[in-house]
Each structure stands twice: as C-alpha cells, then as structure tokens.
Amino acid sequence: MIDALGRVRDHFHQAGYTVAGVRELLGPVAGGALARDEIVPALRATRGGSPLEAITRLFWLQVGIPEAGPLTDDLVAAGLAERSAGEVRATVHVEPLESVGGDPGIGYVVSDLKVRPGGEAPLRLDHVVGAGGASANLAQLVVHRPVENALDLGTGSGVQALHLADRARKISATDVNPRALALAQMSFALSGLRDVELLKGSLLDPVRDRTFDLIVSNPPFVISPDGRFSYRESGLPGDEVCRRLVTEAPSYLVDGGWCHLLANWLHIGGRSWEERVGGWFTAGGCDAWVVQRDVQDPAEYAELWLRDSCETGTAEYRRRYDAWLDHFERENVTGIGFGWISLRKGGTTVRVEELRQGVEQPVGAYVEKIFDGMAGGERFSTGALRTAAGVVQEQIGPPGAEDPERIVLRQTRGLRRAAGVGTVEAALAGVCDGTLPMEPLLEAIAELMGLPADDVRAHAQAVLPELIADGFFEIAGR
Ligand SMILES: C[S@@+](CC[C@H](N)C(=O)[O-])C[C@H]1O[C@@H](n2cnc3c(N)ncnc32)[C@H](O)[C@@H]1O
C-alpha cells in the first residue's frame, strides 16, 4: 500500500492536483457553489476527462469515474478508492495542502468522505475531519521557528503535522480514534513525510514524562450535551478539555517551548469570561495569550454544530436542538467564545483579550514579537523606543477645527489594533525611531507643548507600558 501511495503521489503531481490547480479548474462560480455543498456547477466544469478533472470528480464531488488505467489502478491499490458497478469511487477524501505561506506542494490530507446535507449516510461517530477553516486557523497561529521536536495532539487527518514538517525535526502525533491514526498515516505516506511517531491515547497520556519544543492542538473543543462525535467532542463536561490542556501542557514543554491551541470557552451568567478563562493560568510557569475571536449565543452555537454534523432538517433535529439549549440553560450559559490560546514556557504574564478584527496572517510569523511586547511593557524604563512599522495616526474632529477631538494610533499590520491616545503619545509616535533615549524626547515635547517636563514624563511612564504591550511601540535593540 505504501508503494501504491507513492505512485498515487506521482499521478497527483503529473495531474497538477494542487489547491491552485483545483481552484483554476473549477473557477469562482463552481468553486463557490461547492463551498456551499452544491456540486452541479462543479460537475459541469469537470466534464473534459483530464486526469485533474477525474481526480477532482472523485475526491471533491464524490461521484464515480470510469477506469483510467494506472491512475485508477493505483488509487484502488492504495486504498483510496474502490471498484463498484463498473466505476471507481473514492473511499476517503484526499485534498492537496498548501502551506500558510502559500507553498503549493506541502502534501495531501486523507480524511473521511464529506457528508453533505441530505446525503444518504449519516456522519459516522468516528468520522475523521479534513483540513478546514479551523485547522488553517491553527496552522496560521503556530510560531515560525525551527524546533527539535513537536507534538500534534488530536492529529485527525494529520494536517497539523504536515504543516509542522517545515520546522520540526521530529514530530509525534496522537489521537484517541484509531481510524484517525490510520488516515493520518496515509496522509504522511502520500505526502512523503517519513518517521512521524503515531501514538494512540487521550490528551497528554501517550507522551507522559516527555517534553516538547512545540505542542499544537485543534482539540475536540465543541461543548455539547452528549459528546457523540469524537472528531469534535471530548466527552468531558463544558470547556474542561481546553482547561485541562492548558493547565497540563506547561509540564510537557521545554523552557521557552510553545503551545498553541484552538478553544471554546463558556460565558456563564454573572461571571466575567476573561476572569474565568484567565483563572486557568494561575499555576504560572508560562506566558499566556488568550484571544477571543468570536462569540455565539447558545442558539447560534447549537445550530452551527447541528449543521456541521448534517443534522439540520432531519427527524431528530428539533429534539437535539432542544436538548442542547436545555443543557446550556442548566449550566447558566449565556454564550460560547471561540479563540486561540498560546503559551510560552518560562514567564508569568497572562493576557486575555478580544480581537474581532481581521488580523495580518500568518500570526505565527510575529507571535514571538507579541509575547515579547506583552512581557516587555512592564519592564520598560527610559531606554530608546521605536514606533512600530505600519502605525498610522488618525485625527477625528469637526471639519475645520484647529485641534482634533480624538487622536487614534492604528496598526495597519499585525493585529491591527487601534488606540485612542493623547497629544504626548502622538508626538512620541512621530519621533521615536529607536535612536534617541526617552528623556531628551520628552523634554522637547514638554517644551513644545508648554507643559511641565515632570508632568509629561509621568504621563509617558503611565501610558507607554500598555502601548508597548499592544505593539504600538517597540523597545529598541530587541
Ligand atoms: C477537531 S479534530 C482536529 C483534527 C486535526 N488536528 C485538525 O487540525 O484538523 C480533533 C481531533 O481530536 C481527536 N480527539 C478526540 N478526543 C481526544 C482525546 N481525548 N485525546 C486526543 N485526541 C482526541 C479526534 O479524534 C480528532 O481527530
């Protein structure tokens, strides 16, 4: 089977089976329809009979294709397709993967066939999910630095391990689902990724007493009343799976090691979600950055995940929806947050925040800088500062007015934060280029504004740590 997978890889290369290749073949209309689970336009766009059209019909549209010599022979021999009623049909979904930087050829991801709304078969309980928006989200967050060893916890199709291959010398991948481990192994073989250590077991159990430079996980974070599907639900109550991972992961990291995960957390009536989730890090040992990217109310959440398992409109739909809402009501849940958690072993700074705006991707390219800023703001004294690249100033006020009502510093890069500032900070942003120490700059600003130098100095000392932590200013020399 391994040899056959190698031959299939050659067929894929020859056919141009890449993300860009499929996108170009389908075009925006058929591609857009397929994203909405409508295959008719894509069927029309792939009628030519080329190898790329055959492969796309097989794995994306999940329709039978005619025998096509060595291509279909090798697909069957590799266990990716089977012969049925004179045709060849896919047994799994195989999709090309590009890197977060757009490198087109980092591998192929094997997962279970897509179950479409109204499809004949329901989702299997051990379904293995493919590379979707969430997995791309996590891949974009992961720090860009070479590491000796990395752990992909809950590997599923193996997609995160494939993303890690450009930076980790050794990769371990775990899952509770044996089917996931089998499909991940096929993904690795098909992608030419050798020597990934595959381990069966729950959470960190399979790697007890070991340490890693990098841990990544897109865990089964979905909070549901019954925990039916292992690809998304852990069976633990509420958001316990995420709490457990972030409290246990630090013991599995080397000093300076990183952990990144996607998570859901509950908003409980009468409690601040920031304090509740921030409380997961009280044991210390790591700098932690928690970012809420989205919040849904209980009804939106139940609908989203019933849609995800293609149960919308089924006979069971109303009962399940009702049970989900009952569950949330009992637990006094007012909303469910979705976001990222990153840890860096060694510090004690915890930052919990909401960022709903589009951010520059991939975050992993500058996440170290974010952590340095988070920890460095408090350490700021009087050294030289540099205004971060891409910071612009906006002035808001009535037309024609001499002075603005509000000054905003806005990042056009990175996390794209905005901060309302005073004239002192705005003036500093205009002159801080990393070459001059603060003292003469503050004196010059005080003189220009006709203010006592001590007041300007005290103001700067009060407001700059936060602006440094938020990435508007950087400590020169870092
Ligand atoms: C959301 S999928 C993520 C798959 C893949 N890593 C990705 O990024 O797309 C979650 C994975 O965690 C696995 N899983 C579920 N419960 C687990 C547990 N207790 N310990 C480890 N893995 C678990 C599931 O089988 C599934 O493959």
Side-chain angles (χ1 to χ4, degrees), residues 5 58 103 147 177 180 187 220 225 278 284 293 304 314 354 369 425:
L5 284 164
L58 189 70
D103 177 346
V147 294
N177 180 0
S187 300
R293 297 286 290 157
L304 168 72
T314 61
E354 179 160 65
K369 220 167 163 183
E425 303 93 290

Side-chain angles (χ1 to χ4, degrees), residues 100-158:
V100 293
D103 177 346
I106 68 165
Y108 299 97
V109 176
V110 181
S111 60
D112 268 318
L113 289 172
K114 290 201 179 299
V115 175
R116 296 211 161 88
E120 294 131 42
L123 208 59
R124 20 183 326 157
L125 296 181
D126 63 352
H127 179 78
V128 178
V129 71
S135 58
N137 223 292
L138 174 62
Q140 286 171 322
L141 178 65
V142 177
V143 66
H144 287 199
R145 58 155 47 210
V147 294
E148 177 60 23
N149 68 351
L151 170 66
D152 171 15
L153 192 155
T155 193
S157 62

Side-chain angles (χ1 to χ4, degrees), residues 129-130 135 152-157 159-160 175-177 180 201-203 218-220 230-231 233-234:
V129 71
S135 58
D152 171 15
L153 192 155
T155 193
S157 62
V159 56
Q160 301 302 334
D175 211 290
V176 280
N177 180 0
S202 184
L203 303 182
N218 172 10
S230 63
Y231 78 90
E233 294 148 352
S234 68

Side-chain angles (χ1 to χ4, degrees), residues 324-458:
W324 217 312
L325 295 185
D326 262 350
H327 174 72
F328 282 149
E329 212 169 278
R330 269 196 307 278
E331 305 295 325
N332 196 16
V333 173
T334 57
I336 301 91
F338 163 79
W340 317 323
I341 300 179
S342 294
L343 307 173
R344 182 169 68 179
K345 177 102 177 241
T348 52
T349 308
V350 177
R351 178 162 189 168
V352 181
E353 64 180 319
E354 179 160 65
L355 289 177
R356 301 288 279 268
Q357 69 268 28
V359 300
E360 187 181 1
Q361 293 289 8
V363 174
Y366 58 94
V367 67
E368 292 206 53
K369 220 167 163 183
I370 295 169
F371 271 69
D372 289 345
M374 252 162 57
E378 284 152 24
R379 287 202 295 274
F380 160 72
S381 60
T382 54
L385 287 187
R386 184 177 45 232
T387 305
V391 169
V392 296
Q393 179 180 314
E394 292 170 357
Q395 304 204 149
I396 300 154
E402 207 165 292
D403 294 319
E405 259 172 19
R406 218 165 105 75
I407 306 175
V408 173
L409 291 182
R410 186 178 296 282
Q411 299 165 350
T412 57
R413 309 196 37 199
L415 297 178
R416 302 200 176 112
R417 298 181 197 274
V421 295
T423 42
V424 171
E425 303 93 290
L428 276 173
V431 292
C432 280
D433 63 0
T435 58
L436 284 172
M438 288 302 283
E439 194 52 36
L441 286 180
L442 290 171
E443 272 170 22
I445 289 171
E447 201 178 315
L448 243 144
M449 292 179 162
L451 294 170
D454 280 351
D455 290 2
V456 170
R457 201 175 296 117

Side-chain angles (χ1 to χ4, degrees), residues 51-62:
L52 180 59
E53 287 167 301
I55 294 166
T56 304
R57 285 172 88 90
L58 189 70
F59 291 121
W60 287 91
L61 314 186
Q62 298 178 185

Side-chain angles (χ1 to χ4, degrees), residues 251-275:
S251 323
Y252 293 79
L253 289 175
V254 300
D255 221 25
W258 288 82
C259 171
H260 300 280
L261 53 123
L262 301 184
N264 266 175
W265 42 79
L266 294 172
H267 288 221
I268 308 281
R271 289 186 69 183
S272 133
W273 74 269
E274 290 99 327
E275 277 176 25

Side-chain angles (χ1 to χ4, degrees), residues 214-250:
L214 177 62
I215 300 176
V216 304
S217 185
N218 172 10
F221 55 70
V222 174
I223 301 161
S224 79
D226 45 22
R228 281 177 301 147
F229 296 109
S230 63
Y231 78 90
R232 66 182 197 193
E233 294 148 352
S234 68
L236 291 168
D239 46 23
E240 176 62 11
V241 66
C242 297
R243 192 200 65 81
R244 206 172 277 186
L245 278 176
V246 298
T247 49
E248 291 182 9

